[in-house]
Amino acid sequence: HLISNFFKQLLGLSTSLPSHSLFIAQGGIPSGGLGLYRPGARAIPDFVLTMAKASNYAEHGIRFHAEAPNYILPSSICSLYNLASNTSSLTLQRFRLALPTIALIAVSHKVPSDQRIDHFLNRTSTNSARHRLRLHTSYTTTSLIYNETPTHLRHILPGALSSHTSYPLIQMSRSNTKHRLNNFDFTIMLKRKLVLPLYHPASAPVCKCGTTHDIYGHHHFRCTRISKKFVHDYINTQALQPVLQQVLRTAGITDNSSPVQTEVPHHIQQQPLLRPFDIEYQPNHALGDSNLPPSHFAICGADITIDHCPDPPSTSALDDISLYTANAERCLQTAEKRKFTTMGNSTVTGNTMTREDVLHTLSTNAKLLQIWAICPYGGMGPMLRRFLFGDDPIRPLSFTPNKPHAAKMYLESLQSSAPHGILPLANASWSSS
């Protein structure tokens, strides 16, 4: 109850923390949780790992140096860890009871199941065993989150369980003033992460379209009367621009003289005021430090779109988490495709160009346009994930024959010469410097 009461006081909740929110708080950060300690998932594995190591010392001795023989412990100590000579020990009995289950998980699946106990006790390293146990715990915690989340909210979990929205809440150093959030923003972000209501049903505001907002705030992203320009511009100028400026240079894709710019006009000669890129940069073809093939693009950039939450899957499958993740990715890919094929509301008076015209002009001038889709909970579309992490889409987009330039631009973005995986590149460069 300690964690539940902590969040209840921190967020001013009128009730205890729901079980799905508690499991999100206790989920690992790489899995999109907050990384808080969950004793139920750690106590037995840690106990078995400690006892296995102690039993190994008792049986084989302790090695202090690679070239020195093992130091053999006194027999009076060794006998304490032998169930045959210490039959009354409840600790050893519990260790032996839990050992088969833990060994089955902690040992590589390549080892036959009937040999895993011996392998665990005598050959598997503690670090390898602990790593496999943590992976298993992460998987079971994610399953618990989906099982405990109400059915009408499960479809938003792939976005809510995005790891990149966990790090800013729990791990970033607050000694840097730019990392500090005001209380209002932090509360909203934490409630979104824990999939908690933003409003009390009795005090939910009324939208300008006349609809009362749902308590989770999903209507904000579906209503066509609500402008997302402020959020859109904030992402461009306050989030992506300063970060990409540093990351692209560290990754060796741009140099110090190449700024990352936003909303630059004069890309289209027929309509100079059109701004097809929300954010753009010039890759340095001669830099050669990024380990990527030389880019033939004069300009690379993206059009950013903030999409709504996915609709619930048509088939209810409680145990099939992949159904929900695939459903969320399809929603973001639909947003990517929509941006590739439609112009949207142009702010340029008298604009008669179609999206195909724009893409054809950009492609002719060696300018690469990507579509970066973001869901309301921070989940990223496949194109943005490929750019940042190098992940390829599970199912590439397809276009109808009457959209040849959209298809060409999309395929160009998947080429090895299109900048991708910039965060691993920047990390490798930073680590080696």
Side-chain angles (χ1 to χ4, degrees):
H1 299 290
L2 182 64
I3 295 176
S4 180
N5 289 335
F6 168 74
F7 282 108
K8 181 179 179 181
Q9 295 179 23
L10 179 66
L11 299 174
L13 305 178
S14 57
T15 59
S16 299
L17 200 66
S19 57
H20 69 274
S21 301
L22 178 61
F23 285 125
I24 292 174
Q26 295 176 320
I29 292 177
S31 301
L34 294 180
L36 302 186
Y37 190 80
R38 183 157 76 93
R42 292 287 302 276
I44 294 177
D46 285 355
F47 165 71
V48 173
L49 285 172
T50 301
M51 283 297 298
K53 195 167 187 177
S55 298
N56 188 275
Y57 287 158
E59 183 175 355
H60 302 290
I62 303 173
R63 172 169 290 188
F64 292 103
H65 191 274
E67 298 179 359
N70 288 3
Y71 174 78
I72 304 302
L73 296 171
S75 58
S76 58
I77 295 178
C78 295
S79 62
L80 295 175
Y81 291 89
N82 190 325
L83 192 59
S85 59
N86 191 9
T87 56
S88 62
S89 172
L90 292 177
T91 300
L92 287 178
Q93 293 174 24
R94 289 164 182 161
F95 168 59
R96 288 293 171 178
L97 183 64
L99 179 59
T101 302
I102 297 299
L104 199 64
I105 300 168
V107 176
S108 170
H109 66 278
K110 296 179 182 179
V111 178
S113 57
D114 59 341
Q115 300 176 21
R116 292 189 188 179
I117 292 178
D118 178 71
H119 204 286
F120 174 73
L121 291 173
N122 299 302
R123 301 183 63 183
T124 302
S125 72
T126 303
N127 288 338
S128 296
R130 182 174 283 112
H131 174 69
R132 294 189 185 100
L133 288 167
R134 284 178 176 172
L135 290 179
H136 179 77
T137 299
S138 175
Y139 173 79
T140 55
T141 302
T142 300
S143 298
L144 285 170
I145 292 170
Y146 273 85
N147 291 345
E148 294 296 320
T149 301
T151 306
H152 68 284
L153 292 174
R154 286 191 195 125
H155 62 287
I156 67 170
L157 287 177
L161 296 179
S162 299
S163 60
H164 53 268
T165 60
S166 297
Y167 286 101
L169 286 170
I170 204 74
Q171 272 202 334
M172 291 180 70
S173 172
R174 264 50 178 187
S175 61
N176 184 340
T177 55
K178 293 182 180 179
H179 295 170
R180 300 174 190 172
L181 298 169
N182 63 59
N183 290 341
F184 178 81
D185 290 343
F186 179 79
T187 300
I188 294 295
M189 291 176 65
L190 191 54
K191 284 185 175 181
R192 300 282 282 176
K193 169 57 69 176
L194 297 176
V195 192
L196 293 170
L198 301 181
Y199 313 116
H200 188 278
S203 59
V206 177
C207 178
K208 62 173 66 175
C209 72
T211 302
T212 300
H213 282 285
D214 63 284
I215 60 175
Y216 293 96
H218 297 162
H219 179 76
H220 286 277
F221 298 90
R222 283 189 177 271
C223 183
T224 57
R225 295 284 302 278
I226 297 178
S227 173
K228 304 181 185 71
K229 187 177 187 311
F230 173 79
V231 178
H232 183 277
D233 292 346
Y234 185 88
I235 291 174
N236 283 351
T237 59
Q238 302 298 318
L240 286 175
Q241 185 182 28
V243 172
L244 289 182
Q245 186 76 67
Q246 182 176 358
V247 172
L248 288 170
R249 289 175 182 173
T250 306
I253 295 173
T254 63
D255 56 25
N256 292 335
S257 63
S258 179
V260 175
Q261 298 176 290
T262 60
E263 303 280 357
V264 178
H266 304 293
H267 283 291
I268 310 295
Q269 185 176 1
Q270 302 94 316
Q271 292 287 351
L273 296 183
L274 275 180
R275 295 167 294 180
F277 299 99
D278 287 327
I279 195 161
E280 65 179 68
Y281 58 93
Q282 296 179 5
N284 188 326
H285 303 161
L287 204 57
D289 293 337
S290 69
N291 296 323
L292 293 177
S295 175
H296 64 275
F297 300 109
I299 295 289
C300 295
D303 187 355
I304 300 167
T305 178
I306 304 169
D307 199 31
H308 54 71
C309 291
D311 294 320
S314 56
T315 303
S316 177
L318 177 64
D319 298 325
D320 190 1
I321 295 176
S322 63
L323 177 70
Y324 294 98
T325 56
N327 181 58
E329 178 159 316
R330 277 196 301 272
C331 181
L332 288 166
Q333 283 193 304
T334 299
E336 292 175 348
K337 188 171 184 178
R338 185 168 57 245
K339 273 285 188 175
F340 262 129
T341 55
T342 58
M343 282 290 287
N345 297 322
S346 176
T347 57
V348 178
T349 303
N351 175 46
T352 58
M353 296 189 71
T354 65
R355 192 60 155 174
E356 280 289 287
D357 295 333
V358 171
L359 294 176
H360 175 59
T361 302
L362 293 177
S363 182
T364 301
N365 295 328
K367 297 179 179 180
L368 176 68
L369 175 66
Q370 296 180 321
I371 307 299
W372 294 350
I374 304 171
C375 87
Y377 283 85
M380 299 178 184
M383 295 193 76
L384 179 53
R385 290 195 60 83
R386 185 175 191 275
F387 173 72
L388 293 177
F389 307 110
D391 301 342
D392 288 323
I394 298 175
R395 295 180 181 84
L397 289 176
S398 60
F399 296 86
T400 56
N402 65 334
K403 303 292 183 183
H405 300 298
K408 181 181 179 182
M409 185 66 75
Y410 177 72
L411 290 176
E412 285 183 339
S413 73
L414 297 180
Q415 300 302 311
S416 59
S417 57
H420 61 280
I422 66 165
L423 291 181
L425 284 172
N427 184 60
S429 175
W430 179 81
S431 299
S432 61
S433 61

